[in-house]
Amino acid sequence: MSTAEHPGDLRPRVATVPHHDPYVDAVLPAGVVRVGPVGGPSPWLDPGYLAVHAADVDVVHLHTGYGHLPEDEVVSWTETARRTGVPIVTTVHQLRDPENPSPQRHDAHLGALLATAEVVLTLTPGAADEIAERFGRTAIVVAHPSVVTPVPDLGAERGLVGLRLGARGPAVPDPSGLVRAALSGAVNGGGRLRVYLDDGVVPPPVPSAGDTLEYVARDDDGWVAQLQELHVAVLAERCGTHSRDLEICRDVGTRVVAPSCGWFADQWSDVVTYGNDEDDGFDPVSLDAAVTAALARPAPRPADRAWRDQQRAAVQAVHEQVYAQVMGDRRRD
């Protein structure tokens, strides 16, 4: 039975999509009853499952994990949510899905979800403004909380610049140009470049640079430590809105060189920006200069843990208020 039928039980039963994720785990209030099942893709994205289990949940909160669905399936899902009265909350992490080569499907997903969601959240004021302009919805801005802690007794190498070439998402249009520009900036700043390769990614053809350039495998389990060893981390995204890697760098004390797409500079003001987006393309000269400028600055201190804990508590409090609001609205219906 739903909480609406048991008004004395005020603990929200929340199904999140995805069920487990570092961000999702960080923002959920302590009193939430997390509704399964565990694993993905989430069955809560199936209209039939949602209809059958509508009474088992008080809120469905969508974060990510729906990008693989056809446009009409998301529309069908939102229609089922409205018909069953299950409140939908959505957090917009990406206004442009970096894992899809075209924005069309993600735009359609967002259009359907934001027309249905009881409450919309996002991570930066810039993203909230874009949501209002494009979709006519007001989004509550909540900070991206800490999702890692620094590795004890691991220091950064002065002058070491890191660049990740990933296997997921649209292919980088000019990976060798990206490496050359980052390498030039690293050398000009008195440092060197380390390129992290995801599984299956082949090192791009770049003229021999001696000991100023190295390629290493990215370690999923050791990625926090790999970022913590750097003086500067370069984000290679040409599309996207927010970055978890940026937050990891903030937590461990690594300076970030971020692309001009999205709202990375809104997410953390202490970044150096270079030109890389879908409208104007990649600007190697600006990346060269950005890396050099970033190396001229001292590495930032790791984020203050007390402040990050307070920030996460504040974000959890917002989620608690949102869930209470939509549950109250459902009881009154």
Side-chain angles (χ1 to χ4, degrees):
M1 293 184 178
S2 71
T3 303
E5 298 169 4
H6 288 282
D9 185 359
L10 299 180
R11 294 183 305 158
R13 299 170 302 165
V14 180
T16 61
V17 182
H19 182 75
H20 275 298
D21 172 269
Y23 179 91
V24 173
D25 296 345
V27 302
L28 274 182
V32 163
V33 177
R34 191 183 302 210
V35 180
V38 178
S42 174
W44 288 100
L45 294 172
D46 175 20
Y49 187 93
L50 179 64
V52 170
H53 295 277
D56 300 332
V57 69
D58 297 309
V59 183
V60 174
H61 191 156
L62 265 68
H63 292 270
T64 60
Y66 51 84
H68 64 288
L69 295 175
E71 298 169 21
D72 58 346
E73 288 192 22
V74 174
V75 172
S76 175
W77 185 85
T78 58
E79 290 172 348
T80 302
R82 287 195 293 269
R83 186 175 68 253
T84 58
V86 175
I88 304 300
V89 174
T90 188
T91 298
V92 180
H93 294 263
Q94 301 289 0
L95 280 156
R96 168 69 170 92
D97 186 353
E99 296 190 12
N100 283 324
S102 167
Q104 178 180 345
R105 183 163 64 181
H106 193 60
D107 285 350
H109 287 170
L110 287 178
L113 291 173
L114 298 186
T116 303
E118 300 284 341
V119 178
V120 179
L121 301 99
T122 194
L123 309 183
T124 57
D129 291 342
E130 187 175 341
I131 289 167
E133 180 179 349
R134 289 174 54 190
F135 300 100
R137 288 299 306 266
T138 298
I140 300 171
V141 178
V142 290
H144 191 305
S146 174
V147 292
V148 302
T149 55
V151 178
D153 303 320
L154 178 64
E157 178 184 327
R158 173 73 189 182
L160 181 59
V161 179
L163 168 67
R164 175 187 176 185
L165 295 182
R168 300 175 65 183
V172 176
D174 184 13
S176 60
L178 196 69
V179 171
R180 284 196 300 269
L183 174 62
S184 177
V187 172
N188 289 339
R192 63 190 186 94
L193 177 66
R194 177 180 292 167
V195 179
Y196 298 100
L197 302 173
D198 282 2
D199 288 343
V201 176
V202 178
V206 174
S208 176
D211 59 3
T212 60
L213 173 63
E214 65 174 326
Y215 293 98
V216 300
R218 192 181 79 88
D219 180 3
D220 278 339
D221 294 331
W223 183 229
V224 173
Q226 288 181 320
L227 288 174
Q228 188 171 331
E229 292 172 330
L230 303 175
H231 183 167
V232 171
V234 177
L235 304 183
E237 288 90 335
R238 68 188 178 100
C239 63
T241 310
H242 304 112
S243 168
R244 181 169 296 167
D245 282 354
L246 182 150
E247 294 294 336
I248 295 174
C249 288
R250 187 210 296 250
D251 279 324
V252 302
T254 297
R255 188 163 300 286
V256 172
V257 170
S260 52
C261 61
W263 298 102
F264 302 111
D266 255 20
Q267 193 175 341
W268 185 21
S269 60
D270 194 16
V271 303
V272 182
T273 304
Y274 73 101
N276 193 8
D277 56 53
E278 291 181 295
D279 294 331
D280 299 319
F282 166 53
D283 179 4
V285 174
S286 71
L287 177 56
D288 184 334
V291 171
T292 302
L295 286 176
R297 302 184 188 180
R301 294 180 61 84
D304 179 78
R305 298 314 307 170
W307 170 71
R308 282 297 240 174
D309 289 345
Q310 293 169 1
Q311 183 186 55
R312 181 169 62 180
V315 171
Q316 290 175 347
V318 171
H319 283 72
E320 187 174 31
Q321 293 165 6
V322 166
Y323 298 153
Q325 172 194 324
V326 298
M327 287 171 60
D329 291 343
R330 190 182 190 188
R331 287 197 297 269
R332 286 191 290 271
D333 288 344

